[in-house]
Amino acid sequence: MKGWNEFEIGTLLFPFSDEGSQNVEKHSDKREYRQDSSYTASVAHWRVEKPVYNNDHCINCFNCWLYCPDSAILARDDKLKGVDYVHCKGCGVCVDVCPTNPKSLLMFTDHIQEQDALAQWPAKETKKKGA
């Protein structure tokens, strides 16, 4: 198997051992991934900061889910539910694409507890007419 630096730009790697089209139809936590795919290995040790999810501000637009390069945004029953920290490398793309005010995902140091992060959440900014 080639290392990541040896692949050509635009190379497509298939994460499934076999029956790819059938695996895609399953929910991600029910799929059978190859042992050499990034889905079976943790990249959490890369992370310095992590995105924390705040359900109170989320509008379920799924931008974060769509743009996450690691499929680390959890969704169940057509609602966002949080972040899979085993596969999240802390890139912050999910925070950048979040449109809410304040954002429903914010970056915090990797060692902060979720309750402490939620207690530090900024208040909604009010817009003044004519400003």
Side-chain angles (χ1 to χ4, degrees):
M1 177 81 175
K2 292 183 178 182
W4 289 107
N5 293 335
E6 299 173 291
F7 286 104
E8 295 292 324
I9 294 173
T11 298
L12 180 62
L13 301 176
F14 294 97
F16 306 120
S17 297
D18 55 359
E19 301 176 4
S21 60
Q22 293 174 349
N23 267 309
V24 170
E25 294 173 5
K26 297 176 186 175
H27 198 278
S28 61
D29 61 352
K30 303 288 185 214
R31 294 176 183 166
E32 298 170 22
Y33 293 103
R34 293 169 46 120
Q35 290 303 310
D36 58 357
S37 78
S38 62
Y39 290 97
T40 57
S42 173
V43 292
H45 62 282
W46 299 359
R47 195 173 53 238
V48 175
E49 290 187 312
K50 67 181 179 185
V52 175
Y53 172 70
N54 188 330
N55 185 53
D56 294 338
H57 298 286
C58 184
I59 60 172
N60 292 301
C61 69
F62 285 86
N63 281 356
C64 57
W65 180 85
L66 180 65
Y67 285 98
C68 177
D70 298 306
S71 301
I73 303 297
L74 301 173
R76 298 288 187 276
D77 302 319
D78 297 325
K79 301 246 186 242
L80 295 174
K81 296 295 183 184
V83 180
D84 171 5
Y85 290 120
V86 172
H87 293 99
C88 173
K89 65 178 171 266
C91 68
V93 169
C94 56
V95 174
D96 289 342
V97 299
C98 180
T100 60
N101 169 20
K103 292 183 178 280
S104 59
L105 288 151
L106 290 175
M107 298 300 285
F108 289 89
T109 181
D110 193 40
H111 301 291
I112 194 168
Q113 296 295 319
E114 185 176 352
Q115 304 91 321
D116 296 334
L118 292 172
Q120 297 176 31
W121 219 267
K124 183 173 183 166
E125 297 174 19
T126 55
K127 295 183 180 181
K128 296 180 182 177
K129 290 185 179 182

